[in-house]
Amino acid sequence: MDKLYIKYFKQHQALSGEIISSDFKVVVPVYLEEDDLFKMLESVQKAATFSGSSVELILVFNYSELASEQIIQRQVALLDRVEEHRTVFESTGFDLTILKDYSVAKKHAGVGHARKTGMDYAAFSYVTQEKYDGIIVSLDADCTVSDNYFSALNECYSKKCLSGCNVYFEHPLAGNFHSEVYDAIAEYELHLRYYIQALRYAAFPHAFHTVGSCFTVTAEAYIKAGGMPRKQAGEDFYFLQKVIPSDKFEEVNNTCVYPSSRPSDRVPFGTGPSISAMLESKEEYQTYNLQAFIDLKEFIAIKDELYQMTDEGIESFTHQLSGRIRSYLVNSDFFPALQAVKDNCSSLEVFQKRFYEVFNAFRVVKYLNYTHTHFLEKMNVFDAAINLYEMKYEQALDVFDTKELLLAYRQLEKS
């Protein structure tokens, strides 16, 4: 086993156990999912059968050291139900592995720790078999997938040498919840898609969704990225920012993950809390002002001028930009950080790539937060999204409600 892998597993103490050979290892955190878990199991099993792929589904049952006796009993009872039905789901090429991530320290307890536990286990299993390109799939217990899910992933990975990929997703817009829930999820999903399309309009190269139930990575990429962080929310974003810049990360848009549209308060931020907040406030979702991305586009378009620029030239450079982004650049640590990178760039081509080590996705978020604190007001998501679409494609879009506009944005990504 390579020294890199030995060091990682020594540091993170990956769980040992039976090593199962499989094409895919699907990691699913499970926390009080009585209503959805078996739907997910049926969906993943069906997709595995459809593709003929061998799949190990790794269920990580988890709870905090502060969990109430009721939560502990519910988790144990749900695990027992899965064990009772194991023979119904397991078949040739489809295996269930159950991990117990119990009594986790308060500061680490949450979905990030559970996802890490399962992904460490999956990576250890692959590396033990010297299958460094083995595919680890991140999914959630309240999701279902298209029948061609594994077939589409197989096709994508077989054609290219990838580190990972983002899988297309759609939240259900109708079903058993109250109509207000589906109105809210349509707005939130439109925000997610508007944000990615706005970054692409600005020519930011690392614009991908970072949804925890909708990505895959190889075992090698997972370990080189340092594994999943033990965050209670946003673990997917932090982790994927270490994988996406490899330039071996792509989208798979010919299949679909269907995350739940339900409100939730299990994590500090993200889809569930956003839906809950909209239902409570009864106000339309507010997203980043389109002007912030127009300013960003102007900056990225002239970034190459910074390669050979001295400190004396910075002031004249920044005056080519709007006052909003100029203020952010001058009042943050951007220029000192960029200088440290410039000192190690042997050519413009190297600089063009390493520029995004400094102006990365984290800095984009900091810039957006700064400019909305000091200069811009957020926009309601319908107005922002329709303005972007019409500006980017130079055509009027004949839609009248959020769901219609969301369908147009979904089509953009699928095509």
Side-chain angles (χ1 to χ4, degrees):
M1 189 184 296
D2 188 281
K3 290 181 180 179
L4 170 69
Y5 305 108
I6 294 172
K7 180 180 179 182
Y8 180 84
F9 292 119
K10 185 176 181 180
Q11 283 181 328
H12 299 285
Q13 299 177 338
L15 298 169
S16 59
E18 180 186 0
I19 302 301
I20 296 174
S21 178
S22 60
D23 299 318
F24 297 94
K25 297 190 183 296
V26 183
V27 176
V28 181
V30 180
Y31 183 77
L32 310 181
E33 301 286 359
E34 294 95 338
D35 295 334
D36 297 306
L37 180 60
F38 287 90
K39 296 175 187 176
M40 183 277 298
L41 280 165
E42 291 171 2
S43 175
V44 173
Q45 184 201 42
K46 187 177 181 183
T49 303
F50 180 88
S51 70
S53 302
S54 57
V55 174
E56 180 183 8
L57 182 59
I58 302 168
L59 303 178
V60 186
F61 286 78
N62 64 100
Y63 58 75
S64 163
E65 63 181 354
L66 301 181
S68 67
E69 188 60 32
Q70 181 187 28
I71 287 175
I72 294 172
Q73 289 177 359
R74 285 177 62 186
Q75 283 290 80
V76 172
L78 183 56
L79 188 153
D80 289 343
R81 280 180 60 199
V82 173
E83 289 285 13
E84 289 172 9
H85 292 84
R86 179 187 286 270
T87 55
V88 174
F89 291 103
E90 287 195 321
S91 58
T92 303
F94 188 80
D95 295 278
L96 286 179
T97 294
I98 295 177
L99 304 181
K100 300 175 183 178
D101 194 30
Y102 290 170
S103 299
V104 179
K106 176 186 176 182
K107 67 178 180 179
H108 295 312
V111 66
H113 192 281
R115 222 182 284 283
K116 176 177 177 57
T117 297
M119 290 188 147
D120 279 3
Y121 182 92
F124 179 80
S125 177
Y126 277 134
V127 169
T128 300
Q129 301 170 70
E130 297 188 350
K131 192 173 180 179
Y132 305 116
D133 60 351
I135 301 168
I136 302 172
V137 176
S138 181
L139 200 62
D140 283 341
D142 60 357
C143 295
T144 59
V145 299
S146 297
D147 288 353
N148 73 331
Y149 181 71
F150 295 111
S151 299
L153 291 177
N154 256 328
E155 180 183 5
C156 185
Y157 275 94
S158 64
K159 287 182 178 180
K160 299 179 180 179
C161 179
L162 297 180
S163 296
C165 67
N166 176 157
V167 185
Y168 178 79
F169 65 92
E170 291 182 357
H171 293 90
L173 299 179
N176 297 325
F177 296 121
H178 192 279
S179 61
E180 291 179 352
V181 173
Y182 296 108
D183 291 340
I185 195 62
E187 290 181 19
Y188 186 72
E189 186 183 318
L190 180 59
H191 155 71
L192 295 178
R193 298 194 189 281
Y194 161 76
Y195 180 65
I196 295 303
Q197 292 299 328
L199 286 178
R200 292 178 181 177
Y201 165 76
F204 182 73
H206 302 149
F208 291 93
H209 291 290
T210 55
V211 178
S213 57
C214 304
F215 73 87
T216 75
V217 290
T218 64
E220 180 178 34
Y222 177 78
I223 294 168
K224 284 185 175 180
M228 183 64 60
R230 295 183 292 186
K231 292 183 174 292
Q232 295 179 336
E235 79 289 345
D236 38 20
F237 176 80
Y238 281 88
F239 171 73
L240 287 172
Q241 299 318 313
K242 297 180 181 179
V243 180
I244 290 171
S246 69
D247 293 332
K248 294 182 179 180
F249 192 90
E250 293 198 357
E251 291 181 327
V252 177
N253 291 325
N254 60 338
T255 189
C256 192
V257 176
Y258 302 96
S260 174
S261 302
R262 70 183 181 187
S264 172
D265 59 0
R266 296 182 182 184
V267 293
F269 56 88
T271 305
S274 296
I275 302 308
S276 296
M278 279 188 279
L279 293 175
E280 184 175 345
S281 69
K282 300 188 182 302
E283 295 179 356
E284 189 170 4
Y285 191 86
Q286 299 295 296
T287 191
Y288 294 120
N289 195 301
L290 179 56
Q291 185 61 52
F293 296 99
I294 295 172
D295 294 347
L296 180 61
K297 181 179 180 67
E298 293 174 354
F299 170 55
I300 289 176
I302 61 172
K303 72 180 188 312
D304 289 357
E305 295 178 19
L306 291 168
Y307 173 51
Q308 293 183 322
M309 187 170 293
T310 62
D311 290 344
E312 292 73 23
I314 288 177
E315 183 174 356
S316 60
F317 171 83
T318 58
H319 276 85
Q320 300 177 73
L321 304 169
S322 76
R324 292 172 292 270
I325 196 164
R326 180 169 71 245
S327 177
Y328 170 74
L329 295 175
V330 171
N331 291 298
S332 68
D333 66 343
F334 171 73
F335 287 112
L338 186 66
Q339 187 60 51
V341 166
K342 283 172 60 177
D343 290 343
N344 292 287
C345 290
S346 58
S347 67
L348 175 60
E349 290 72 22
V350 173
F351 171 80
Q352 288 170 333
K353 181 176 179 63
R354 296 204 62 193
F355 172 85
Y356 293 105
E357 294 176 17
V358 178
F359 209 90
N360 54 23
F362 296 101
R363 193 173 289 275
V364 168
V365 172
K366 289 179 180 179
Y367 153 69
L368 290 170
N369 289 337
Y370 178 91
T371 199
H372 283 81
T373 298
H374 298 286
F375 301 106
L376 297 172
E377 292 186 1
K378 287 191 173 183
M379 301 175 65
N380 70 64
V381 69
F382 182 89
D383 290 345
I386 200 165
N387 289 346
L388 172 64
Y389 191 103
E390 293 181 347
M391 181 177 67
K392 187 174 181 179
Y393 295 100
E394 299 181 344
Q395 64 181 47
L397 192 58
D398 189 22
V399 299
F400 300 98
D401 64 33
T402 300
K403 290 182 181 178
E404 281 187 292
L405 184 53
L406 173 58
L407 295 178
Y409 265 75
R410 284 178 174 181
Q411 191 59 41
L412 283 180
E413 293 192 19
K414 285 192 288 189
S415 60

